[in-house]
Amino acid sequence: MKRTEMKRQTVFVLRIMCIGSILFFVQCTGKNRPSPQPQANGWGDRVAAYAVREFMPADKYVWDWAQATMLRAVADRCELGIDREAMLDYVRKAMDVTMDRAEGIHPNAVASGFGMAFLARVTGEEAYARKALQIYDDYRRIVKSSNGGVSHRDNVVELWDDTVYMISLFLLEMYRLTGDEQYLAEVAFQLAAHAEKLEDPATGLWYHGWDDDGEPFDDGCSMAGWADNPERRGSQFWGRGNGWVVMTLANTLHLMPRTMSERAALEAMFVKLARTLAGLQDATTGHWYQLPVYPGEAGNFIESSCTAMFAYGITLGIADGILPAETFRPVVNSAFRGIEKNSLKTLGDSLATVTNVCSGTCVGDKAYYFRREVVEGTPFALGAAIMFHDRYRLLK
């Protein structure tokens, strides 16, 4: 390692240790911090209890993207003042059991790295700060597409809408840790690079994937030949894929100072997408469909993970004054009631899981998405549902 790089890392770690020792008592420990008033035994509380006790205890944490989504929900509960100490303990244990294998060599691995940055911020402990910096160094070496977008895969160059959420989990937490706007600027750049290839200008919806290098690759999940067209792009607006985008935009705007030049474009992108989605919500169930632009079509199905993701992002947009409440509050009201009525499975008095979840999915045609297995209780669905529930009940 070069001497200048060693010096940079040492300064970084010492600064975080100093800041963390001050902040620890005003973060998840709750000192001098107003506490929200949780709804007694809300459905999200029952889902959260199931998630951390039964579905994935902290000592069973796996360093991957789906698990990172659930971990983010746990960390958010800590910071929102919901069962603070237990949630902080969960994040700490999850990071401690994965410390030796934690890395960020591709987007799905980067995602869990936010937990290290989070703990560095709230505890000031050196081990977490050093690991967060190592993961950022890994991130900087990920393969890029011709327009600078982070490749979803490390063996072929492809842009997927999933990627923006995975990398933003980590980069946004690095901004919160350091206060350095370079991390926000990188998220904004990646959103723009991915949107260049994936966004539909008319609706704001995103296609699932784009192939940059033209190299065929059988991942055992995608439909063969999905990029064999002039645009070299997937043909469908997948629900959960757009959910990742909505959450990324909402989370980024929530943190981004109004003085940053990138903000206006991201806000316009977010508003357009939210307005399109509001018109596609199913009035009966409060859900969006697996392929949102074909509501009610034979073979299509309501999908709870994208519903929670869309509703979470819209809720945060309302709270931050980006989306008008008179237009969008009915949307999230319907989603909140709809998940409870149509996509919740009770597992005893205090536990519940989420149903109507599209299983892990890659890129394909319309029939491909309609054929995906419908499951329950995945980490990403549990995490998205908890995050939506907790933000919704704080909405004024």
Side-chain angles (χ1 to χ4, degrees), residues 32 36 69 116 190 216 324 332 376:
N32 301 318
T69 308
M116 298 296 180
Q190 289 300 327
V332 296
E376 63 181 46

Side-chain angles (χ1 to χ4, degrees), residues 3 114 136 138 186 315 387:
R3 182 173 298 177
F114 94 83
Y136 181 62
D138 286 345
E186 173 64 8
T315 299
M387 285 189 275

Side-chain angles (χ1 to χ4, degrees), residues 121-386:
R121 175 166 61 86
V122 302
T123 71
E125 293 184 26
E126 178 182 354
Y128 301 124
R130 288 193 182 280
K131 181 57 71 171
L133 192 59
Q134 290 171 15
I135 292 167
Y136 181 62
D137 286 342
D138 286 345
Y139 168 78
R140 292 165 61 194
R141 292 192 290 270
I142 295 176
V143 174
K144 306 294 194 301
S145 66
S146 54
N147 72 346
V150 167
S151 178
H152 188 73
R153 300 194 180 282
D154 54 7
N155 50 351
V156 290
V157 185
E158 298 173 356
L159 299 186
W160 290 25
D161 50 14
D162 315 45
T163 297
V164 294
Y165 185 74
M166 306 315 158
I167 63 176
S168 70
L169 275 180
F170 176 65
L171 293 170
L172 293 179
E173 194 58 55
M174 288 296 285
Y175 166 70
R176 298 179 73 194
L177 171 64
T178 65
D180 191 336
E181 291 183 359
Q182 69 162 319
Y183 298 107
L184 289 178
E186 173 64 8
V187 175
F189 175 82
Q190 289 300 327
L191 278 163
H194 281 72
E196 179 187 344
K197 302 301 182 182
L198 299 175
E199 184 188 25
D200 172 40
T203 64
L205 294 168
W206 286 33
Y207 296 96
H208 194 167
W210 173 73
D211 178 21
D212 188 24
D213 60 11
E215 293 291 331
F217 172 65
D218 181 6
D219 60 8
C221 177
S222 296
M223 185 187 79
W226 64 265
D228 292 344
N229 57 71
E231 294 80 22
R232 300 209 55 77
R233 189 171 62 191
S235 62
Q236 301 300 314
F237 303 124
W238 178 42
R240 189 162 62 244
N242 279 273
W244 298 125
V245 178
V246 169
M247 290 202 299
T248 303
L249 287 166
N251 289 339
T252 304
L253 291 167
H254 184 64
L255 293 176
M256 181 174 280
R258 295 191 176 277
T259 53
M260 287 189 68
S261 60
E262 297 91 341
R263 184 179 174 93
L266 297 186
E267 197 164 306
M269 187 185 298
F270 178 55
V271 171
K272 179 189 288 186
L273 184 50
R275 290 192 180 280
T276 294
L277 290 170
L280 294 171
Q281 186 181 29
D282 180 58
T284 302
T285 66
H287 283 57
W288 283 267
Y289 278 78
Q290 162 78 334
L291 293 184
V293 297
Y294 306 112
E297 184 169 316
N300 209 356
F301 53 90
I302 59 169
E303 208 283 320
S304 64
S305 70
C306 77
T307 295
M309 291 173 177
F310 295 154
Y312 165 84
I314 292 171
T315 299
L316 195 55
I318 296 169
D320 288 344
I322 300 169
L323 300 175
E326 63 271 18
T327 300
F328 289 96
R329 185 61 190 256
V331 174
V332 296
N333 288 347
S334 180
F336 190 86
R337 293 190 300 264
I339 290 174
E340 184 171 27
K341 180 179 179 180
N342 300 288
S343 292
L344 213 63
K345 179 180 178 180
T346 299
L347 303 172
D349 293 338
S350 61
L351 304 178
T353 191
V354 179
T355 62
N356 294 318
V357 183
C358 170
S359 63
T361 296
C362 301
V363 188
D365 62 10
K366 183 178 178 181
Y368 168 89
Y369 291 98
F370 282 8
R371 290 193 303 265
R372 297 307 291 171
E373 184 182 7
V374 179
V375 298
E376 63 181 46
T378 64
F380 50 82
L382 295 171
I386 296 163

Side-chain angles (χ1 to χ4, degrees), residues 46-75 86-87 89-95 97-98 101 111-112 114-115 169 347 351-353 376-384 386-387:
R46 288 179 278 133
V47 172
Y50 167 69
V52 300
R53 296 179 197 169
E54 304 291 335
F55 183 82
M56 189 173 62
D59 61 354
K60 304 297 184 184
Y61 188 81
V62 177
W63 188 269
D64 208 352
W65 64 274
Q67 292 76 6
T69 308
M70 192 182 118
L71 188 72
R72 182 69 263 180
V74 172
M87 297 299 100
D89 185 59
Y90 183 97
V91 179
R92 182 189 288 275
K93 287 181 179 177
M95 294 298 93
V97 300
T98 52
R101 55 186 181 277
S112 284
F114 94 83
L169 275 180
L347 303 172
L351 304 178
T353 191
E376 63 181 46
T378 64
F380 50 82
L382 295 171
I386 296 163
M387 285 189 275

